[in-house]
Amino acid sequence: MLDRGFVSPLTHQEPTPIPDRLNPFESMMKRFDVAAEILELDPGVYEYLKTPVKQVIVSIPITMDDGRMKMFEGYRVIHNDILGPSKGGIRYAPDVSLDEVKALAAWMTWKCAVMNIPFGGAKGAVRCDVTTLTKIELEKITRRYTSNLIDIFGPDRDIPAPDMNTNEQVMAWIMDTYSMHMRRTETAVVTGKPLILGGSLGRREATGRGCMIVTLGAMEKLGIPPQKSTIAVQGFGNVGSVTAQLLSEQGCRIVGISDVSGAYHNSNGIDIAAAQQWVGKHRTLEGFKGGEMFSQEELLECECDVLIPAAKENQITVANARKIRAKIICEGANGPTAAEADPILNEKGIIVIPDILANAGGVTVSYFEWAQDRAGYFWTLDRVNRRLERMMRASFDAVYGSASEHNVTLRIGAYILAIDKVAETLKMRGIYA
């Protein structure tokens, strides 16, 4: 049985999990199991909620620019659709696995539930290295992948969005391919599109803006004024760079940033606008003169008030968790903290704003985009940002309340909130058989 004795909801220690093999689906399930035990989830409901509704693997043959035929493999996992049509990004990566996609799809289910968005969770991927592909080859892969999944996708069924190594252009190709098959223009089949094709203002910055909102919420709980705070951001892609920019505008001092080329530290504060301009010109931070170069490990372990891992999964593990010196971790990436690291961070009293809350700004504004496409009426940027802030703050308060009620961490509080919502909806709807 779990120890239910009261400790602060921000520092309660969960039971020590079994050694984590850095499998993202197993990592997700360990948190799920803790929340399910607290909720005393019915065994049948437990099995239903942990099992993806649908897992699809497709072969993607294309003719390369040099005339060779080459095969790629694509995935689409629909984890759950109890709350509404499934929603989730598509990533292109050479090392992506079905287990990774299953974990990401499940996280999307819990993320939508935490945010009170009427979507279920899904995720897609293609095993490919975008750095070796021409634009024409990338378009062929995208269109064939979409064609293979034409009976899966749909504005009332399953709605893709951008993820790692995909962007507005890839979404435009998906929308066009789907529309050609349907014989009508169907803008609501994807989100994260270019504005000219029915995209939403504020969508590109949404995930970073959401991270900023909940980070400020956690800082307020600890009594840390933004003007006196220090921030380190791992990952300087869209999420990390926007989060850094927006927190800098709030008066926070960004002391560390990194990307695949390396990490940079400046105790006096990094000029984020200059860093963004450098990346815009050189594609990476390599050669950036605004800070002293140091290792990725040193960035994660540097002294700061807030650490924002916004790169990839499993960056904080049992190997480095005891060396983390931040007071708050805001998970801009999906699954950046391995399950085995959770009790170590809890023991150190570090607040972890979990990914299913911290980076939910993206799916929230994707929901806005979908709603705007279906209505044919588009909102101002101010309206998008105001509604995003209202929803993020409400969800942060709900997660904090759940953690307080059950005497657990914010992560487990978020899982309890999400699982309970989906489970209750399932019971109300019943099982069709």
Side-chain angles (χ1 to χ4, degrees):
M1 293 294 293
L2 294 172
D3 177 8
R4 304 285 177 84
F6 179 76
V7 186
S8 163
L10 299 177
T11 59
H12 175 79
Q13 297 181 42
E14 277 80 26
T16 303
I18 60 174
D20 190 351
R21 290 171 288 176
L22 304 185
N23 178 305
F25 188 74
E26 291 177 3
S27 188
M28 182 280 297
M29 281 304 303
K30 287 171 187 173
R31 282 72 175 255
F32 178 93
D33 286 344
V34 173
E37 184 178 348
I38 292 172
L39 287 168
E40 299 180 349
L41 208 59
D42 176 86
V45 174
Y46 173 90
E47 290 298 324
Y48 187 98
L49 295 185
K50 82 170 190 177
T51 307
V53 169
K54 191 174 295 182
Q55 301 177 65
V56 182
I57 302 175
V58 295
S59 295
I60 305 169
I62 72 159
T63 302
M64 306 293 281
D65 287 359
D66 61 7
R68 292 179 299 119
M69 180 184 290
K70 188 169 181 179
M71 298 292 293
F72 297 88
E73 188 168 81
Y75 310 104
R76 188 68 179 177
V77 174
I78 297 174
H79 174 260
N80 194 276
D81 56 4
I82 287 292
L83 299 180
S86 52
K87 185 83 183 71
I90 297 172
R91 61 175 50 184
Y92 289 175
D95 57 350
V96 68
S97 68
L98 184 59
D99 266 356
E100 180 181 347
V101 179
K102 284 168 60 180
L104 292 164
W107 280 322
M108 282 299 300
T109 297
W110 314 135
K111 196 176 298 186
C112 292
V114 163
M115 293 303 300
N116 283 312
I117 294 171
F119 287 146
K123 207 72 178 184
V126 176
R127 288 179 63 94
C128 65
D129 184 352
V130 296
T131 65
T132 67
L133 298 169
T134 67
K135 185 176 181 180
I136 292 173
E137 291 166 344
L138 195 61
E139 180 177 356
K140 287 179 179 179
I141 289 172
T142 301
R143 289 187 181 275
R144 184 58 183 258
Y145 173 77
T146 305
S147 179
N148 286 348
L149 294 172
I150 207 72
D151 293 328
I152 303 296
F153 295 154
D156 296 305
R157 294 193 300 267
D158 180 39
I159 307 148
D163 195 76
M164 184 187 302
N165 296 321
T166 58
N167 55 22
E168 291 184 344
Q169 178 61 77
V170 173
M171 296 305 106
W173 289 329
I174 293 174
M175 190 208 83
D176 181 68
T177 306
Y178 184 85
S179 297
M180 292 300 100
H181 280 266
M182 296 297 110
R183 299 296 186 264
R184 65 178 183 273
T185 298
E186 191 63 80
T187 57
V189 70
V190 293
T191 59
K193 304 178 298 295
L195 287 175
I196 199 171
L197 296 181
S200 176
L201 293 168
R203 172 60 182 84
R204 188 187 70 81
E205 303 86 5
T207 306
R209 184 171 293 277
C211 286
M212 179 268 289
I213 293 166
V214 295
T215 295
L216 293 178
M219 289 167 63
E220 184 178 342
K221 294 289 185 185
L222 289 185
I224 302 173
Q227 296 78 11
K228 296 183 179 180
S229 66
T230 53
I231 316 282
V233 182
Q234 183 205 34
F236 206 68
N238 178 51
V239 176
S241 65
V242 170
T243 305
Q245 172 198 334
L246 294 175
L247 285 170
S248 178
E249 290 172 2
Q250 295 294 317
C252 303
R253 180 156 43 101
I254 314 301
V255 296
I257 57 175
S258 74
D259 67 5
V260 293
S261 70
Y264 297 82
H265 183 268
N266 186 335
S267 58
N268 294 319
I270 293 170
D271 185 335
I272 297 301
Q276 289 174 323
Q277 290 173 4
W278 182 273
V279 171
K281 183 176 181 181
H282 302 280
R283 301 189 67 180
T284 72
L285 285 168
E286 186 173 6
F288 178 60
K289 306 300 182 185
E292 178 185 354
M293 191 169 184
F294 64 171
S295 69
Q296 298 282 3
E297 291 76 15
E298 289 174 311
L299 177 81
L300 291 171
E301 298 163 11
C302 75
E303 187 172 351
C304 59
D305 293 310
V306 182
L307 172 64
I308 302 175
K312 289 193 69 177
E313 298 91 353
N314 296 316
Q315 299 301 298
I316 301 174
T317 68
V318 69
N320 62 3
R322 295 191 187 282
K323 301 175 185 176
I324 303 295
R325 291 189 283 172
K327 299 180 180 72
I328 298 167
I329 295 173
C330 179
E331 297 184 332
N334 288 311
T337 306
E340 64 176 344
D342 280 349
I344 299 172
L345 299 175
N346 298 337
E347 182 183 336
K348 289 173 64 68
I350 297 173
I351 299 173
V352 180
I353 308 173
D355 47 5
I356 60 174
L357 170 63
N359 64 41
V363 71
T364 304
V365 177
S366 278
Y367 165 53
F368 296 167
E369 181 178 331
W370 176 81
Q372 291 170 82
D373 284 335
R374 291 172 69 85
Y377 177 77
F378 292 87
W379 307 345
T380 64
L381 178 60
D382 180 62
R383 175 174 288 188
V384 170
N385 288 342
R386 279 189 290 109
R387 290 183 171 182
L388 173 62
E389 179 160 5
R390 184 169 65 242
M391 290 181 69
M392 292 297 304
R393 285 190 176 277
S395 294
F396 178 84
D397 290 342
V399 167
Y400 190 86
S402 174
S404 298
E405 178 184 353
H406 296 282
N407 305 325
V408 293
T409 60
L410 293 184
R411 187 190 306 285
I412 300 304
Y415 271 82
I416 290 171
L417 195 70
I419 292 168
D420 190 47
K421 180 182 178 70
V422 179
E424 287 302 309
T425 305
L426 172 63
K427 291 175 185 176
M428 186 67 68
R429 288 184 59 166
I431 300 295
Y432 177 77

